Amino acid sequence: SVLAVHTLDPIIFYYGAGYVHRFDANFGDNLEVDPGQEFDYLFGVGFAVNPWATISGTFIGNYITRYGVNGVSLPGSDLDLLRFRVSVTLVKDKRICEPFGEIGMTPDTPSRVGITFTY
């Protein structure tokens, strides 16, 4: 993955793209599964409230190619996932706490909430 960040203090713009290779798996003598490949992209904007807190909104997309079994592609198994993430990033003593909420924007994309911590 690659991420680019541009700042116009106090605004932060960021965007990126990535790729996840998924290896084929064999189950027994007669079953070979190709789990597809994944292409990721994101772009967003943040606002630095102060040196320790940033509010941001991000569009995150994932495209997963079709799964396959024994060399046959499974129709309808490809996914185009898109979500919008709102988060608040808090930094103290080189540690990050980031509560977030994500809204699924396509039928197969779940919505979720969570917190990211670093140690």
Side-chain angles (χ1 to χ4, degrees):
S1 294
V2 176
L3 180 68
V5 179
H6 300 278
T7 59
L8 294 170
D9 202 19
I11 306 296
I12 303 123
F13 298 97
Y14 50 93
Y15 52 92
Y19 169 75
V20 177
H21 178 77
R22 297 176 178 192
F23 292 95
D24 293 356
N26 292 312
F27 298 94
D29 293 333
N30 299 325
L31 185 62
E32 181 180 330
V33 176
D34 174 5
Q37 306 303 312
E38 182 175 336
F39 300 90
D40 305 319
Y41 57 92
L42 66 85
F43 60 93
V45 63
F47 177 75
V49 177
N50 58 42
W52 308 279
T54 301
I55 299 170
S56 60
T58 310
F59 284 98
I60 304 169
N62 308 91
Y63 177 71
I64 302 172
T65 62
R66 286 186 179 180
Y67 282 57
V69 177
N70 293 336
V72 177
S73 183
L74 300 175
S77 63
D78 55 329
L79 295 171
D80 194 4
L81 308 173
L82 182 62
R83 60 194 189 271
F84 181 69
R85 178 182 178 123
V86 176
S87 61
V88 176
T89 305
L90 306 168
V91 179
K92 182 167 172 137
D93 299 327
K94 298 182 182 178
R95 293 191 172 107
I96 296 172
C97 174
E98 184 178 70
F100 66 87
E102 293 181 350
I103 300 166
M105 300 178 71
T106 56
D108 294 325
T109 309
S111 297
R112 63 186 188 156
V113 295
I115 300 176
T116 301
F117 291 103
T118 62
Y119 296 98

